[in-house]
Amino acid sequence: MKTVMFLNGPNANLYGLDPNGTYGTDSFPQIEAACIARAEALGFKLDFRQSNHEGVLVDWIQEARQTCDGLMINGAGLSYTSVAILDALLAFDGPIIECHMSNIWKREPFRHHSYISKAATGVIAGLGLQGYLLGLTAMQSMLADDAA
Ligand code: DHK
């Protein structure tokens, strides 16, 4: 069975708790459960993780080189700063989908440039949990194309 790692960066564990609703109303455990269920329905295993630490995310991306066929990543605040995460992603040989819950281009200018995008096969932003689920569908299709 194909395996996809879904990495979430700093503060993603607080989704659903923001009184402004920037990241929707679903809690992080609810988002995780919905993504795992969708991946199972699509026929692949999802390894869903979150860390507030850049080096941990780099280690996990390197681990994915050995264990995973595709990567989904919401680098959160590290998207705009981390050359280290970009370099780790560039060393990953497989499809990479960058996801953001919010529409980052509608927000402050410092959120308009993501280093991660340079390594991403595609980017989904602004659709909340729905975007994550659409990303999983796109991933399944890309992995099926790879197998053909
Ligand atoms: C999540 C965050 O935590 C922010 O730092 C990013 C991203 C946007 C999101 O929309 O999921 O700027």
Side-chain angles (χ1 to χ4, degrees):
M1 185 182 272
K2 302 248 181 192
T3 302
V4 173
M5 193 178 279
F6 195 146
L7 296 178
N8 295 272
N11 304 304
N13 52 311
L14 301 180
Y15 287 162
L17 304 179
D18 172 9
N20 300 319
T22 309
Y23 304 114
T25 52
D26 294 305
S27 70
F28 190 70
Q30 287 171 329
I31 292 166
E32 174 175 13
C35 288
I36 289 172
R38 179 61 59 93
E40 194 181 325
L42 290 166
F44 62 88
K45 181 173 178 286
L46 193 66
D47 184 352
F48 197 89
R49 304 184 188 190
Q50 188 272 332
S51 177
N52 292 330
H53 305 283
E54 182 177 20
V56 172
L57 292 162
V58 169
D59 286 344
W60 286 344
I61 295 164
Q62 290 189 12
E63 179 188 329
R65 282 158 49 85
Q66 320 300 329
T67 59
C68 294
D69 302 288
L71 264 178
M72 311 257 309
I73 181 164
N74 183 345
L78 289 169
S79 310
Y80 321 110
T81 61
S82 182
V83 175
I85 289 178
L86 168 63
D87 286 345
L89 290 171
L90 289 171
F92 180 78
D93 184 22
I96 298 172
I97 299 180
E98 176 183 7
C99 299
H100 298 279
M101 297 287 279
S102 64
N103 180 352
I104 57 175
W105 298 286
K106 218 173 151 181
R107 301 182 65 193
E108 305 94 323
F110 64 82
R111 297 183 204 269
H112 295 179
H113 176 264
S114 164
Y115 283 97
I116 288 173
S117 304
K118 187 161 174 50
T121 312
V123 181
I124 296 177
L127 301 177
L129 173 58
Q130 183 65 24
Y132 283 16
L133 301 177
L134 289 167
L136 291 168
T137 300
M139 180 60 76
Q140 188 239 15
S141 159
M142 284 190 283
L143 293 178
D145 288 349
D146 280 357

